[in-house]
Each structure stands twice: as structure tokens, then as C-alpha cells.
Amino acid sequence: MLKKVAFSIASVAIAGVVLLTNQTITHADGLYPVQKTGGAGLDLRKTPTINGTRTETDIPDGHKLYLYCYVNGESYNGSKIWDWVDDDWWRGDFDTGYAPDYFIKTGTSGPVVEYCSF
């Protein structure tokens, strides 16, 4: 009887590992570089609008940002996607804010993170 129970537990554990390793999870995998600022740098905003209050300024092309989620905001260059990001300690301090997805090299014109729930 003990062998049957042990075998059953082992079978369930193996099946769980097989099922979990075959799952695809959509999320931002790592940091994404700033692009297309033409040397002006990227500004992060408190709101997803071009005229929103800045939380950080002049983040240069190539500096990497961490993407948490996105919202639909003011249209910029044909896209309404604004990502909620952190600046990965640009200038030695930690700032968060919205940035137009247009300026973040994600490899797609669509969102790469889930919609913000706040």
C-alpha cells in the first residue's frame, strides 16, 4: 500500500512539472532600450500624455528601462500605447513614469506587458 501511495505522489509531481514547463507566459522579459529620441532623450511622465509632468528627463537612446504594464494614452506617432516603466537607476536614482511605447525598442508595435490595473 505504501508503495502505491508513494508512486501516486511521484506520478502527480512529475505530471505537474511536465505541465508547468510547457506553459507560455507573456511578460516583459528583462529590460528594453530607449530608441528614436534623436539625441533629445526620453522623458518619463506622471500621466500618459506628452504634456504630463515629468518624473525623469533626458534618458538617452540605448539606456534600458523595465516595463511593468501599459495603458492607452494620448496618441504619439500613431500609437496610443504608453508603458509604465522604471528608469533602472538612471542618474543614480530610481524613477517611474509613463513613456510612449514608440520610444522603447520592444520588437513589436503591440504591448509586451499586461494592461495596468491601477
Side-chain angles (χ1 to χ4, degrees), residues 52-112:
T53 304
R54 292 176 178 92
T55 60
E56 183 58 272
T57 59
D58 306 323
I59 301 171
D61 285 359
H63 182 80
K64 294 183 178 180
L65 306 174
Y66 184 83
L67 281 62
Y68 292 94
C69 58
Y70 83 96
V71 298
N72 292 312
E74 180 179 351
S75 182
Y76 187 85
N77 209 33
S79 175
K80 291 186 175 192
I81 299 170
W82 285 67
D83 299 306
W84 179 256
V85 304
D86 78 46
D87 66 357
D88 195 36
W89 298 93
W90 168 243
R91 294 191 179 144
D93 61 347
F94 183 81
D95 296 294
T96 58
Y98 290 103
D101 191 71
Y102 173 81
F103 290 112
I104 302 171
K105 187 175 183 179
T106 62
T108 179
S109 60
V112 295

Side-chain angles (χ1 to χ4, degrees), residues 8-73:
S8 296
I9 291 171
S11 297
V12 169
I14 291 170
V17 169
V18 169
L19 288 173
L20 291 176
T21 57
N22 289 329
Q23 297 298 313
T24 302
I25 301 172
T26 303
H27 64 284
D29 189 17
L31 300 166
Y32 293 87
V34 174
Q35 66 174 358
K36 301 179 186 177
T37 68
L42 176 64
D43 297 340
L44 303 184
R45 309 284 180 163
K46 283 187 178 183
T47 58
T49 61
I50 293 299
N51 293 320
T53 304
R54 292 176 178 92
T55 60
E56 183 58 272
T57 59
D58 306 323
I59 301 171
D61 285 359
H63 182 80
K64 294 183 178 180
L65 306 174
Y66 184 83
L67 281 62
Y68 292 94
C69 58
Y70 83 96
V71 298
N72 292 312

